[in-house]
């Protein structure tokens, strides 16, 4: 008997979620964002399941090389671009597309004296103030890039800071700043992440760049994927590994923060922060035992959590437990843990066995 903790990945739903992107942004090309191991779902598996996408976006060269070595031949875009000059020859060798977001990258490209063609996207900072050339730097970047033998500017992209806030005026301000900054130059335009695909049609441009929605999860703090016609790809399961009976006043787990209000059964589930279950999930976070909700009680430990089994006195060792999945949205667990579902999905650790459906 092995430890029963496992993540089940329903890969065909990735294709379903991709079709939802097509419905929401008809006629636009899709750069499916599969960086960070496809938000914890397995990058190569996700790329195969999403083969109808027009391109894949990863963060960096290392991620792109994993895809190429696995035989993925789609256009691959490095959202963070290259970090040092020695990466530049590999970009051409593996037919990768880099983002250029900083003057230092321009200088590296000029010094590289490229032999082969190198397609690039230029990233503009339209107001997020994280990565990208300021609008006033775009003209000079265009001049230098078009003077660089081998470099081919495919287009311009920008990233939205607050697209998940439906009323925030910043999104349309960013669109306006971006559109104005790149207006004189030919090439494709790309702005929209998942939240923008779902709510800001003005941002759809030539290419959309959805990430989280492909995995069936809502980008909105108060939402769940299902309400957008999405289906979650990852479910996290375990089992009860012990059912114990405690007396009124007994305290549960590290710090003894949760006190039994009466004599009661307490279940121990084989999952903890060592598996990626969030340590900050508070008492009351829902857990499904035998498909019914029970509350988490006490602190999350590395390998275990405890649950209140008063509503399920018949529960036994080995009974199935779901931590998140189609019957228990990961978005809800993230809210209970004071984080976002992106983080929970990315954080499932290699100790968790993965089963593919
Ligand atoms: C530049 C860029 N575009 C698109 C995305 C996809 O965002 P989301 O997962 O919210 O759709 C990301 C993700 O962080 C990103 O960094």
């Amino acid at each position: 008997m092995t430890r029963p903790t496992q993540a089940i990945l329903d890969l065909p739903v990735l294709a379903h979620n991709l079709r939802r992107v097509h419905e929401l942004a008809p006629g636009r090309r899709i750069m499916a964002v599969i960086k960070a191991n496809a938000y914890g779902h397995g990058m190569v598996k996700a790329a195969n399941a999403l083969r109808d996408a027009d391109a894949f976006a990863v963060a960096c060269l290392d991620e792109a090389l994993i895809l190429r070595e696995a035989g993925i031949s789609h256009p691959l875009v490095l959202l963070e671009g290259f970090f040092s000059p020695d990466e530049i020859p590999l970009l051409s060798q593996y037919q990768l597309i880099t983002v250029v977001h900083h003057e230092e990258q321009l200088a590296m490209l000029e010094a590289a004296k490229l032999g082969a063609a190198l397609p690039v996207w230029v990233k503009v900072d339209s107001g997020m103030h994280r990565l990208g050339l300021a609008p006033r730097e775009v003209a000079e970047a265009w001049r230098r890039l078009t003077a660089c033998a081998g470099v081919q500017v495919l287009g311009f992209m920008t990233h939205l800071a607050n697209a998940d806030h439906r009323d925030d005026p910043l999104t349309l301000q960013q669109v306006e700043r971006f559109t104005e900054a790149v207006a004189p130059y030919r090439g494709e335009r790309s702005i929209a992440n998942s939240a923008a695909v779902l709510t800001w049609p003005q941002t759809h441009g030539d290419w959309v760049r959805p990430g989280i929605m492909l995995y069936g999860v809502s980008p909105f703090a108060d939402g769940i994927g299902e309400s957008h016609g999405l289906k979650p790809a990852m479910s996290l399961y375990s089992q009860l590994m012990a059912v114990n009976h405690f007396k009124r006043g007994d305290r549960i787990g590290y710090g003894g923060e949760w006190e039994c209000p009466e004599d009661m059964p307490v279940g121990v589930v084989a999952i903890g922060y060592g598996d990626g279950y969030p340590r900050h999930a508070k008492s009351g976070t829902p857990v499904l035992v035998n498909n019914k909700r029970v509350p988490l009680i006490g602190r999350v430990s590395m390998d275990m959590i405890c649950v209140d089994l008063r509503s399920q006195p018949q529960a036994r060792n080995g009974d199935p437990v779901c931590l998140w999945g189609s019957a228990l949205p990961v978005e809800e667990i993230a809210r209970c843990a004071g984080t976002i579902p992106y983080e929970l999905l990315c954080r499932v650790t290699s100790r968790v066995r993965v089963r593919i459906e």
Side-chain angles (χ1 to χ4, degrees):
M1 167 84 182
T2 51
R3 192 164 177 269
T5 316
Q6 61 173 338
I8 298 187
L9 299 180
D10 184 351
L11 294 178
V13 310
L14 296 183
H16 163 88
N17 296 331
L18 185 68
R19 285 193 294 277
R20 277 298 290 144
V21 178
H22 272 298
E23 286 166 16
L24 290 155
R28 318 304 166 110
R29 270 163 294 159
I30 301 178
M31 195 184 289
V33 180
I34 57 170
K35 65 192 168 113
N37 201 24
Y39 295 37
H41 293 69
M43 197 168 47
V44 173
K45 290 193 274 293
N48 283 314
L50 293 166
R51 57 189 162 274
D52 289 342
D54 301 287
F56 294 123
V58 293
C60 57
L61 178 68
D62 292 355
E63 291 182 339
L65 294 186
I66 292 170
L67 291 170
R68 283 287 183 258
E69 271 149 28
I72 305 293
S73 57
H74 284 65
L76 300 181
V77 180
L78 314 189
L79 290 175
E80 295 186 346
F82 54 93
F83 289 75
S84 62
D86 44 300
E87 291 178 51
I88 295 174
L90 294 170
L91 299 176
S92 304
Q93 186 184 337
Y94 288 91
Q95 298 188 316
L96 306 175
I97 302 166
T98 183
V99 159
V100 173
H101 60 79
H102 199 278
E103 192 281 329
E104 283 175 16
Q105 290 175 316
L106 292 174
M108 287 189 238
L109 285 175
E110 286 165 337
K113 306 211 170 22
L114 295 164
L118 181 64
V120 307
W121 280 90
V122 178
K123 181 156 186 179
V124 180
D125 172 17
S126 59
M128 178 154 171
H129 299 151
R130 185 181 64 177
L131 207 61
L133 299 166
R136 66 174 183 286
E137 296 172 322
V138 172
E140 177 66 359
W142 173 265
R143 190 191 63 71
R144 288 172 67 181
L145 285 168
T146 48
C148 229
V151 171
Q152 180 202 359
V153 179
L154 295 181
F156 296 86
M157 68 166 66
T158 194
H159 197 41
L160 299 171
N162 287 0
D164 52 331
H165 295 270
R166 297 168 178 90
D167 304 322
D168 195 321
L170 179 64
T171 297
L172 293 182
Q173 285 165 14
Q174 283 196 255
V175 173
E176 205 178 299
R177 270 183 226 144
F178 173 69
T179 309
E180 199 185 304
V182 304
Y185 314 107
R186 64 181 177 273
E188 312 273 295
R189 308 291 194 250
S190 176
I191 305 175
N193 56 4
S194 296
V197 168
L198 288 161
T199 44
W200 301 93
Q202 311 87 321
T203 65
H204 289 179
D206 299 302
W207 288 82
V208 292
R209 303 191 311 272
I212 195 78
M213 67 184 293
L214 296 173
Y215 310 102
V217 174
S218 170
F220 304 109
D222 56 355
I224 58 167
E226 198 186 350
S227 43
H228 304 291
L230 303 168
K231 297 183 185 170
M234 185 196 288
S235 304
L236 187 61
Y237 288 102
S238 189
Q239 289 180 2
L240 288 179
M241 56 182 287
V243 177
N244 299 313
H245 295 268
F246 294 108
K247 296 277 178 220
R248 180 165 177 255
D250 283 347
R251 293 174 173 278
I252 306 299
Y254 284 119
E257 279 167 16
W258 200 87
E259 183 180 321
C260 296
E262 57 185 317
D263 294 3
M264 60 181 281
V266 171
V268 184
V269 183
I271 189 118
Y273 63 79
D275 304 295
Y277 190 81
R279 182 174 176 279
H280 294 290
K282 53 183 191 281
S283 287
T285 300
V287 173
L288 295 182
V289 173
N290 294 317
N291 291 319
K292 295 202 188 73
R293 284 181 179 233
V294 297
L296 172 87
I297 54 177
R299 280 194 205 155
V300 172
S301 341
M302 189 182 288
D303 314 309
M304 285 168 270
I305 59 170
C306 292
V307 291
D308 174 350
L309 288 179
R310 279 177 292 173
S311 62
Q312 287 205 52
Q314 79 296 346
R316 293 287 170 268
N317 281 358
D319 281 358
V321 176
C322 175
L323 289 314
W324 65 68
S326 39
L328 181 58
V330 66
E331 293 92 330
E332 193 178 338
I333 307 306
R335 285 192 280 277
C336 291
T339 183
I340 53 174
Y342 296 74
E343 188 184 16
L344 296 192
L345 297 174
C346 284
R347 230 164 48 172
V348 173
T349 66
S350 57
R351 183 166 78 172
V352 175
R353 277 179 300 126
V354 175
R355 209 177 88 203
I356 309 293
E357 300 241 293

